Amino acid sequence: MRLLSAIFAKPTVTGGAPNGPGEVCRAASAGRIPTLLKALDALGRAEALDRVTTPLRKAVRGLPLGSFRDVLHGRQIGHPLHPALVQVPMGAWLSAAVLDLVPGAGRNARLLVGVGVVSAAPAAWAGWVDWAEQPKEQLRTGLVHAASNAAAIGLYAGSWKVRGRGRPVLGRALAFAGLAAAGLGGVIGGHIAFRQSAGSNKTAALTHLVEPGWHSLGSAQELPVGEAVQRMLGTVPLFVLRTADGDVHVLADGCSHFSGRLSEGEVTDGCVECPLHSSVFRLSDGMIVRGPATAPQPVFETEVTENGVLRVRLPSAG
């Protein structure tokens, strides 16, 4: 009970509700960071885990998956596939937990436990290929996430086995322990996705940062031919490339996968490769040629004025 109180405790505010920013800040400073959040944040700083994550990441990235790797990343659906696949084993296991509380439903509960164990395999594969393309903090936290899920799969596999041997009480106990491990894995997975921003489209906010209309980027003639450069549009960094035939390609410079600088990447055959995790985008329309990115790169419309000034605008910004 003390642990739960510490996790969900709210800062104590005296003298009524805070009225201004200063009072709000002082009130928040008086509170403590929830214990669970501190523990989750600490996972990303656990450098000791690098002894496992470094060789394991190399092994996962070296698997000969070919084009199937992009399928596991979820490129075809526009976002990571792993969270969608996870719904099947979690749904089966939660349903089994309900049936375990219903007299006479043990056979159906065992069936659902087995469905969960089998369907966890593709979900795990998708999770591993996504994990291998993350920075260090996400790799560390993701390793613990995977360990928790592996424990859940092992417990449920044991539950399915002992139920088949006529030991339903032990089977239910193992299943509920597996559900607890899977729940913990879900909490850690949510931390990776939302607090550490793994899997999200890093360019989604662009339409809110770029004002509607045309914006000047300076003289088009001053741009080097065939060499990508970075230009700033307010606070937004842009990838700018002038080709030998006079065309100018302008994309958001921060990769949609994890904000790698495309202007520092390799440009070949009308495409640019992100130097951070090797996602490849077409210059003409920003579409993904190769993952791990699952969201296309925003492309700006361009025009050169009579005075030779390069102007750009984001199509969705008018």
Side-chain angles (χ1 to χ4, degrees), residues 46-83:
E47 296 182 2
L49 295 175
D50 293 347
R51 289 177 291 181
V52 179
T53 61
T54 300
L56 187 56
R57 178 176 185 260
K58 183 178 180 181
V60 174
R61 296 187 77 177
L63 292 173
L65 298 176
S67 60
F68 187 58
R69 186 177 296 273
D70 274 356
V71 174
L72 291 174
H73 280 310
R75 182 165 71 89
Q76 287 75 12
I77 61 174
H79 60 78
L81 182 62
H82 175 65

Side-chain angles (χ1 to χ4, degrees), residues 70 75 273 277-281 287-293:
D70 274 356
R75 182 165 71 89
E273 179 177 335
H277 297 108
S278 301
S279 294
V280 177
F281 303 93
M287 292 306 294
I288 306 163
V289 176
R290 185 180 69 216

Side-chain angles (χ1 to χ4, degrees), residues 182-200:
L184 177 60
V187 170
I188 299 173
H191 186 82
I192 299 169
F194 298 106
R195 190 168 177 86
Q196 295 183 334
S197 192
S200 63

Side-chain angles (χ1 to χ4, degrees), residues 11 16 29 36 49 79 88 117 126 137 165 200 204 218 223 239-241 255 265 272 280 282 284:
S29 299
L36 178 59
L49 295 175
H79 60 78
V88 181
V117 171
E137 286 193 357
R165 294 181 175 180
S200 63
L223 296 171
F239 166 100
V240 182
L241 176 71
C255 175
V272 58
V280 177
R282 275 203 310 252
S284 59

Side-chain angles (χ1 to χ4, degrees), residues 25-296:
C25 185
R26 286 191 293 272
S29 299
R32 295 186 301 171
I33 299 175
T35 303
L36 178 59
L37 179 55
K38 288 175 65 176
L40 292 172
D41 282 340
L43 293 177
R45 299 189 297 269
E47 296 182 2
L49 295 175
D50 293 347
R51 289 177 291 181
V52 179
T53 61
T54 300
L56 187 56
R57 178 176 185 260
K58 183 178 180 181
V60 174
R61 296 187 77 177
L63 292 173
L65 298 176
S67 60
F68 187 58
R69 186 177 296 273
D70 274 356
V71 174
L72 291 174
H73 280 310
R75 182 165 71 89
Q76 287 75 12
I77 61 174
H79 60 78
L81 182 62
H82 175 65
L85 295 179
V86 165
Q87 306 309 308
V88 181
M90 285 304 301
W93 290 338
L94 283 168
S95 300
V98 173
L99 291 181
D100 273 336
L101 300 177
V102 178
R107 182 178 179 180
N108 291 333
R110 183 176 185 252
L111 173 63
L112 287 171
V113 166
V115 169
V117 171
V118 173
S119 60
W125 272 109
W128 278 118
V129 296
D130 282 344
W131 171 85
E133 304 299 338
Q134 302 301 317
K136 285 187 176 181
E137 286 193 357
Q138 287 82 349
L139 288 174
R140 296 163 184 163
T141 308
L143 183 66
V144 181
H145 168 69
S148 183
N149 290 335
I153 295 171
L155 287 165
Y156 272 112
S159 173
W160 184 86
K161 185 175 182 178
V162 298
R163 288 170 193 256
R165 294 181 175 180
R167 304 178 66 184
V169 175
L170 178 58
R172 286 195 292 270
L174 290 174
F176 281 114
L179 187 61
L184 177 60
V187 170
I188 299 173
H191 186 82
I192 299 169
F194 298 106
R195 190 168 177 86
Q196 295 183 334
S197 192
S200 63
N201 176 10
K202 303 305 184 296
T203 63
L206 203 63
T207 54
H208 305 290
L209 299 175
V210 176
E211 294 291 332
W214 292 96
H215 305 274
S216 173
L217 287 185
S219 172
Q221 291 300 318
E222 293 180 359
L223 296 171
V225 176
E227 180 183 346
V229 295
Q230 185 189 80
R231 291 290 183 266
M232 296 300 296
L233 178 56
T235 60
V236 178
L238 301 181
F239 166 100
V240 182
L241 176 71
R242 182 161 72 106
T243 64
D245 57 11
D247 292 334
V248 181
H249 297 287
V250 180
L251 291 74
D253 195 31
C255 175
S256 64
H257 175 247
F258 231 99
S259 300
R261 289 182 58 173
L262 298 186
S263 56
E264 297 179 352
E266 182 179 354
V267 177
T268 53
D269 298 326
C271 297
V272 58
E273 179 177 335
C274 177
L276 197 56
H277 297 108
S278 301
S279 294
V280 177
F281 303 93
R282 275 203 310 252
L283 296 177
S284 59
D285 55 9
M287 292 306 294
I288 306 163
V289 176
R290 185 180 69 216
T294 57

